[in-house]
Amino acid sequence: MKRPLTATAGILAVALTLTACGGSDSAADADGVVDLTLGTWALSNAPEFQLLVDEFNASHDDVEVSIREYDTDNYETQMTADLAAGAAPDLYAQKTVSAFVTYQAGGQLVDVSDVADGLDEHTTGLGSWQVDGSTWAVPFRQDSWFLFYNKDLFEKAGVDAPDGTWTWDDYADAAQELSDATDADGAYQHVWQAAVQGFANNQTPGADLLSGDYGYLKPYYERALAMQDSGAQTDYGTATTNSLTYQAQFGKQKAAMMPMGSWYVAMLLSQQADGDADDFAWGIAPVPQYDESTTDEPVTFGDPTSVGVNAAIDDGKLDAAKEFLAFIAGEDAAVALASTGITPAYQSDAVTEAYFSAKGAPEDDLSRQAFQVHDTRPENPVDPKIAAVQTILGDLHSAVMSGSTPVDDAIAEAEQRAANEAGITG
């Protein structure tokens, strides 16, 4: 999750039934330089795209990549419209797996298996962009959810800090102690369904988003509700009504702990440097686990972010586009990303050193361990039904967390809807 899923599948499916026209631009300009356009969401929310383009352009004299920005909240809708009109850029970022599935099924992406086959084992996240054995996009970042914690508040409360072996019960106990001993909430759970379901889906033995059996969600929701009731964390109603942001809740020390995606590292570094977040010591720890059996390699989740090639690209530009994909998935780009606190798809010792050399980054061993040692599983499987399932489970989430529907009733309703609306039965 890098970010919450958007309900775009229906819009995408309609628009992608239209046939996009091929570009008519010449492959190279008068100086022999191939000009490529890259579609991204707003750079104010994703500055990594400009960083990648600048790094690539500086090291490639025969290719020049420029960025075309789209609105962050309406990225899929706007991109779909441009694809249908034959006006889309040569390359475009893949924001969610659910949208990617529709782009690929609609013939809007080039098969880039040859690029993927040329990458080494250090590049992670390729599986999220593969359909029927072929690869249709190449990842440049791979976010994972960590446990962010405020070292100063732990010390003030006299509560033992995370040590990498916590289960969710340990987390709940610590949150209560912190809440009782400080003016801050012990923890903050953001309003996204992934903040509960992402862990339940990937840590619970036998859990399967596409099974139609969602009983495994129950203990995760019961724990979250109990933490709300005890005052260990802000309740869902308050968070939604007041539009609380996770950046302010943790960055302004309103909560001592917060499970959140690794993209927040770069945000927090920037906000502390600019004075938009308080100055305090913090670290990252492995997320709490279902039980102690996985603490040696903690199970977490997160979808990668990738770039694909528009199927309507001018044939003369295709090699240059693939060259760009190979670059963003390699070590040079990864080190540049890591130096700003962004978690790249390419992992190596050099990347780790760059990541923790960023100004303001934590320096403790546990933070390094959390970054290097974990089993990151996809938030979303590559399947045409995933958008419908996530919509159903999103409704379950809001119903349960708001207290409008008991957990058992909400699960039963979701299972019935999965059968009726997505053809999935447990």
Side-chain angles (χ1 to χ4, degrees):
M1 182 179 158
K2 131 183 37 32
R3 335 262 188 247
L5 288 168
T6 54
T8 58
I11 297 171
L12 288 165
V14 172
L16 293 180
T17 58
L18 303 176
T19 302
C21 301
S24 59
D25 295 341
S26 61
D29 61 21
D31 296 325
V33 176
V34 177
D35 292 317
L36 295 172
T37 52
L38 168 65
T40 75
W41 46 97
L43 295 178
S44 58
N45 293 311
E48 63 267 27
F49 289 114
Q50 190 65 62
L51 175 61
L52 290 172
V53 166
D54 289 345
E55 292 287 326
F56 178 83
N57 287 342
S59 58
H60 293 75
D61 295 332
D62 55 347
V63 184
E64 183 76 16
V65 181
S66 59
I67 290 176
R68 186 189 302 176
E69 288 186 65
Y70 290 80
D71 179 67
T72 299
D73 294 334
N74 298 297
Y75 177 75
E76 310 293 8
T77 302
Q78 294 175 355
M79 182 61 68
T80 298
D82 277 0
L83 285 166
D90 301 308
L91 306 111
Y92 59 110
Q94 301 297 304
K95 191 175 185 183
T96 66
V97 172
S98 58
F100 155 73
V101 171
T102 312
Y103 291 134
Q104 190 277 330
Q108 302 293 337
L109 288 167
V110 171
D111 182 343
V112 291
S113 298
D114 53 343
V115 178
D117 291 344
L119 302 175
D120 65 34
E121 62 184 8
H122 292 92
T123 302
T124 62
L126 283 165
S128 291
W129 314 108
Q130 293 174 340
V131 178
D132 296 331
S134 297
T135 305
W136 301 87
V138 171
F140 64 87
R141 67 181 291 172
Q142 171 64 72
D143 286 298
S144 303
W145 280 59
F146 298 136
L147 178 62
F148 289 78
Y149 68 102
N150 184 318
K151 295 181 179 181
D152 292 347
L153 286 177
F154 268 85
E155 183 176 355
K156 178 180 179 180
V159 176
D160 291 338
D163 60 6
T165 67
W166 279 10
T167 65
W168 287 106
D169 288 338
D170 296 324
Y171 167 80
D173 290 343
Q176 191 63 59
E177 291 182 58
L178 289 158
S179 181
D180 291 343
T182 69
D183 293 332
D185 290 334
Y188 177 69
Q189 176 186 287
H190 198 44
V191 298
W192 299 332
Q193 68 193 82
V196 178
Q197 294 176 11
F199 301 112
N201 292 335
N202 289 288
Q203 292 182 345
T204 310
D208 182 357
L209 261 177
L210 299 172
S211 69
D213 181 356
Y214 303 120
Y216 64 85
L217 296 172
K218 183 175 180 178
Y220 286 82
Y221 277 108
E222 289 181 332
R223 184 184 304 109
L225 292 172
M227 290 177 68
Q228 286 187 169
D229 292 343
S230 70
Q233 67 182 25
T234 297
D235 67 273
Y236 178 86
T238 298
T240 52
T241 300
N242 296 322
S243 300
L244 299 185
T245 67
Y246 62 87
Q247 296 96 327
Q249 293 306 112
F250 189 78
K252 291 296 185 179
Q253 302 191 84
K254 298 176 183 179
M257 294 187 291
M258 181 177 71
M260 185 50 60
S262 53
W263 62 83
Y264 180 51
V265 171
M267 289 184 185
L268 183 55
L269 292 177
S270 175
Q271 289 175 344
Q272 284 194 319
D274 294 341
D276 295 327
D278 292 348
D279 184 14
F280 60 92
W282 58 276
I284 57 175
V287 292
Q289 297 294 290
Y290 175 82
D291 60 30
E292 297 177 353
S293 66
T294 55
T295 53
D296 288 343
E297 187 178 11
V299 175
T300 185
F301 73 95
D303 281 342
T305 309
S306 73
V307 174
V309 180
N310 183 355
I313 191 173
D314 186 298
D315 288 344
K317 295 184 175 184
L318 184 55
D319 287 345
K322 289 183 176 181
E323 190 175 357
F324 180 75
L325 294 189
F327 175 81
I328 65 173
E331 187 171 42
D332 288 346
V335 169
L337 291 171
S339 67
T340 67
I342 292 171
T343 309
Y346 186 100
Q347 294 291 309
S348 67
D349 289 343
V351 169
T352 300
E353 289 307 311
Y355 194 82
F356 288 98
S357 295
K359 185 177 181 180
E363 300 177 351
D364 60 282
D365 290 340
L366 183 60
S367 293
R368 283 178 172 261
Q369 176 187 330
F371 179 79
Q372 291 181 295
V373 182
H374 51 263
D375 176 8
T376 300
R377 299 178 182 178
E379 180 179 349
N380 297 289
V382 181
D383 190 278
K385 297 179 179 179
I386 191 60
V389 169
Q390 287 288 25
T391 296
I392 293 167
L393 294 182
D395 292 341
L396 177 154
H397 178 75
S398 58
V400 170
M401 293 305 299
S402 66
S404 65
T405 307
V407 178
D408 288 333
D409 292 349
I411 289 174
E413 181 179 351
E415 292 174 346
Q416 187 62 54
R417 286 184 61 191
N420 294 340
E421 299 172 24
I424 297 173
T425 57

